[in-house]
mmCIF file of all heavy atoms in Angstrom:
data_model
loop_
_atom_site.group_PDB
_atom_site.id
_atom_site.type_symbol
_atom_site.label_atom_id
_atom_site.label_comp_id
_atom_site.label_asym_id
_atom_site.label_seq_id
_atom_site.Cartn_x
_atom_site.Cartn_y
_atom_site.Cartn_z
ATOM 1 N N ASP A 1290 94.576 109.905 99.035
ATOM 2 C CA ASP A 1290 95.820 109.738 98.243
ATOM 3 C C ASP A 1290 96.942 110.453 98.635
ATOM 4 O O ASP A 1290 97.664 111.105 97.736
ATOM 5 C CB ASP A 1290 95.416 110.133 96.789
ATOM 6 C CG ASP A 1290 94.198 109.487 96.178
ATOM 7 O OD1 ASP A 1290 94.128 108.249 96.599
ATOM 8 O OD2 ASP A 1290 93.360 109.967 95.521
ATOM 9 N N ASN A 1291 97.271 110.333 99.931
ATOM 10 C CA ASN A 1291 98.487 110.950 100.529
ATOM 11 C C ASN A 1291 98.723 112.507 100.353
ATOM 12 O O ASN A 1291 99.679 113.145 100.259
ATOM 13 C CB ASN A 1291 99.812 110.301 99.900
ATOM 14 C CG ASN A 1291 99.874 108.913 100.292
ATOM 15 O OD1 ASN A 1291 99.544 108.482 101.373
ATOM 16 N ND2 ASN A 1291 100.377 108.035 99.384
ATOM 17 N N THR A 1292 97.463 113.222 100.203
ATOM 18 C CA THR A 1292 97.497 114.662 99.974
ATOM 19 C C THR A 1292 96.380 115.324 100.913
ATOM 20 O O THR A 1292 95.349 114.670 101.206
ATOM 21 C CB THR A 1292 97.249 115.070 98.587
ATOM 22 O OG1 THR A 1292 95.914 114.537 98.115
ATOM 23 C CG2 THR A 1292 98.275 114.498 97.678
ATOM 24 N N PHE A 1293 96.665 116.462 101.302
ATOM 25 C CA PHE A 1293 95.734 117.369 101.951
ATOM 26 C C PHE A 1293 95.409 118.497 100.987
ATOM 27 O O PHE A 1293 96.268 119.180 100.558
ATOM 28 C CB PHE A 1293 96.230 118.003 103.216
ATOM 29 C CG PHE A 1293 95.379 118.939 103.979
ATOM 30 C CD1 PHE A 1293 94.602 118.480 105.120
ATOM 31 C CD2 PHE A 1293 95.246 120.259 103.549
ATOM 32 C CE1 PHE A 1293 93.818 119.448 105.773
ATOM 33 C CE2 PHE A 1293 94.398 121.178 104.230
ATOM 34 C CZ PHE A 1293 93.723 120.682 105.366
ATOM 35 N N LYS A 1294 94.178 118.601 100.541
ATOM 36 C CA LYS A 1294 93.704 119.590 99.542
ATOM 37 C C LYS A 1294 92.693 120.463 100.188
ATOM 38 O O LYS A 1294 91.862 120.070 101.004
ATOM 39 C CB LYS A 1294 93.145 118.843 98.296
ATOM 40 C CG LYS A 1294 93.988 117.947 97.574
ATOM 41 C CD LYS A 1294 93.403 117.228 96.416
ATOM 42 C CE LYS A 1294 94.351 116.169 95.795
ATOM 43 N NZ LYS A 1294 93.553 115.512 94.627
ATOM 44 N N ILE A 1307 97.373 122.376 97.457
ATOM 45 C CA ILE A 1307 97.668 120.923 97.822
ATOM 46 C C ILE A 1307 98.790 120.735 98.740
ATOM 47 O O ILE A 1307 99.926 121.540 98.432
ATOM 48 C CB ILE A 1307 97.890 120.006 96.623
ATOM 49 C CG1 ILE A 1307 96.724 120.134 95.517
ATOM 50 C CG2 ILE A 1307 98.201 118.615 96.860
ATOM 51 C CD1 ILE A 1307 97.002 119.396 94.208
ATOM 52 N N ILE A 1308 98.760 120.065 99.703
ATOM 53 C CA ILE A 1308 99.926 119.730 100.586
ATOM 54 C C ILE A 1308 100.168 118.244 100.532
ATOM 55 O O ILE A 1308 99.336 117.441 100.968
ATOM 56 C CB ILE A 1308 99.607 120.190 102.165
ATOM 57 C CG1 ILE A 1308 99.171 121.751 102.086
ATOM 58 C CG2 ILE A 1308 100.843 119.968 102.881
ATOM 59 C CD1 ILE A 1308 98.716 122.087 103.553
ATOM 60 N N TYR A 1309 101.311 117.875 100.077
ATOM 61 C CA TYR A 1309 101.778 116.476 100.041
ATOM 62 C C TYR A 1309 102.190 115.931 101.508
ATOM 63 O O TYR A 1309 103.025 116.555 102.006
ATOM 64 C CB TYR A 1309 102.757 116.273 99.003
ATOM 65 C CG TYR A 1309 102.210 116.545 97.609
ATOM 66 C CD1 TYR A 1309 102.392 117.756 96.969
ATOM 67 C CD2 TYR A 1309 101.443 115.615 96.891
ATOM 68 C CE1 TYR A 1309 101.900 118.176 95.803
ATOM 69 C CE2 TYR A 1309 100.940 115.947 95.634
ATOM 70 C CZ TYR A 1309 101.148 117.213 95.030
ATOM 71 O OH TYR A 1309 100.756 117.475 93.783
ATOM 72 N N CYS A 1310 101.795 114.804 101.905
ATOM 73 C CA CYS A 1310 102.017 114.321 103.174
ATOM 74 C C CYS A 1310 103.598 114.167 103.421
ATOM 75 O O CYS A 1310 104.098 114.324 104.513
ATOM 76 C CB CYS A 1310 101.233 113.009 103.587
ATOM 77 S SG CYS A 1310 101.717 111.657 102.538
ATOM 78 N N GLU A 1311 104.288 113.728 102.200
ATOM 79 C CA GLU A 1311 105.776 113.573 102.436
ATOM 80 C C GLU A 1311 106.395 114.848 102.719
ATOM 81 O O GLU A 1311 107.614 114.908 103.086
ATOM 82 C CB GLU A 1311 106.392 112.946 101.262
ATOM 83 C CG GLU A 1311 106.227 113.758 99.945
ATOM 84 C CD GLU A 1311 104.998 113.160 99.123
ATOM 85 O OE1 GLU A 1311 104.125 112.658 99.789
ATOM 86 O OE2 GLU A 1311 105.054 113.284 97.905
ATOM 87 N N ASP A 1312 105.747 116.028 102.536
ATOM 88 C CA ASP A 1312 106.423 117.346 102.698
ATOM 89 C C ASP A 1312 106.039 117.875 104.150
ATOM 90 O O ASP A 1312 106.556 118.932 104.498
ATOM 91 C CB ASP A 1312 105.966 118.386 101.686
ATOM 92 C CG ASP A 1312 106.440 118.023 100.302
ATOM 93 O OD1 ASP A 1312 107.467 117.480 100.150
ATOM 94 O OD2 ASP A 1312 105.796 118.426 99.264
ATOM 95 N N ILE A 1313 105.212 117.165 104.884
ATOM 96 C CA ILE A 1313 104.733 117.730 106.150
ATOM 97 C C ILE A 1313 105.771 117.374 107.233
ATOM 98 O O ILE A 1313 106.139 116.145 107.443
ATOM 99 C CB ILE A 1313 103.336 117.192 106.546
ATOM 100 C CG1 ILE A 1313 102.325 117.647 105.421
ATOM 101 C CG2 ILE A 1313 103.000 117.597 107.937
ATOM 102 C CD1 ILE A 1313 100.975 117.031 105.700
ATOM 103 N N ASP A 1314 106.281 118.360 108.054
ATOM 104 C CA ASP A 1314 107.113 118.074 109.019
ATOM 105 C C ASP A 1314 106.468 117.929 110.459
ATOM 106 O O ASP A 1314 106.917 117.234 111.330
ATOM 107 C CB ASP A 1314 108.176 119.107 109.126
ATOM 108 C CG ASP A 1314 109.189 119.137 107.938
ATOM 109 O OD1 ASP A 1314 109.396 118.066 107.420
ATOM 110 O OD2 ASP A 1314 109.625 120.246 107.540
ATOM 111 N N ILE A 1336 99.896 123.106 110.048
ATOM 112 C CA ILE A 1336 100.571 122.133 109.251
ATOM 113 C C ILE A 1336 101.887 122.763 108.762
ATOM 114 O O ILE A 1336 101.879 123.728 108.100
ATOM 115 C CB ILE A 1336 99.733 121.770 107.985
ATOM 116 C CG1 ILE A 1336 98.395 121.143 108.360
ATOM 117 C CG2 ILE A 1336 100.480 120.646 107.145
ATOM 118 C CD1 ILE A 1336 97.493 120.798 107.344
ATOM 119 N N THR A 1338 105.384 122.615 106.723
ATOM 120 C CA THR A 1338 106.011 121.948 105.637
ATOM 121 C C THR A 1338 107.525 122.580 105.544
ATOM 122 O O THR A 1338 107.872 123.410 106.378
ATOM 123 C CB THR A 1338 105.340 121.941 104.298
ATOM 124 O OG1 THR A 1338 105.411 123.385 103.919
ATOM 125 C CG2 THR A 1338 103.837 121.647 104.435
ATOM 126 N N LEU A 1363 97.537 109.664 108.189
ATOM 127 C CA LEU A 1363 97.886 109.649 106.703
ATOM 128 C C LEU A 1363 99.391 109.663 106.601
ATOM 129 O O LEU A 1363 99.900 108.810 105.742
ATOM 130 C CB LEU A 1363 97.176 110.774 106.039
ATOM 131 C CG LEU A 1363 97.408 110.828 104.498
ATOM 132 C CD1 LEU A 1363 96.471 109.626 103.918
ATOM 133 C CD2 LEU A 1363 96.965 112.093 103.901
ATOM 134 N N ILE A 1364 100.048 110.438 107.285
ATOM 135 C CA ILE A 1364 101.489 110.611 107.186
ATOM 136 C C ILE A 1364 102.143 109.227 107.628
ATOM 137 O O ILE A 1364 103.114 108.696 106.954
ATOM 138 C CB ILE A 1364 102.096 111.709 108.126
ATOM 139 C CG1 ILE A 1364 101.560 113.053 107.494
ATOM 140 C CG2 ILE A 1364 103.538 111.582 108.153
ATOM 141 C CD1 ILE A 1364 101.921 114.255 108.557
#
Side-chain angles (χ1 to χ4, degrees):
D1290 300 326
N1291 295 325
T1292 59
F1293 178 100
K1294 299 177 183 178
I1307 301 176
I1308 305 172
Y1309 296 95
C1310 66
E1311 60 262 32
D1312 295 331
I1313 298 175
D1314 293 328
I1336 300 177
T1338 70
L1363 186 68
I1364 294 171

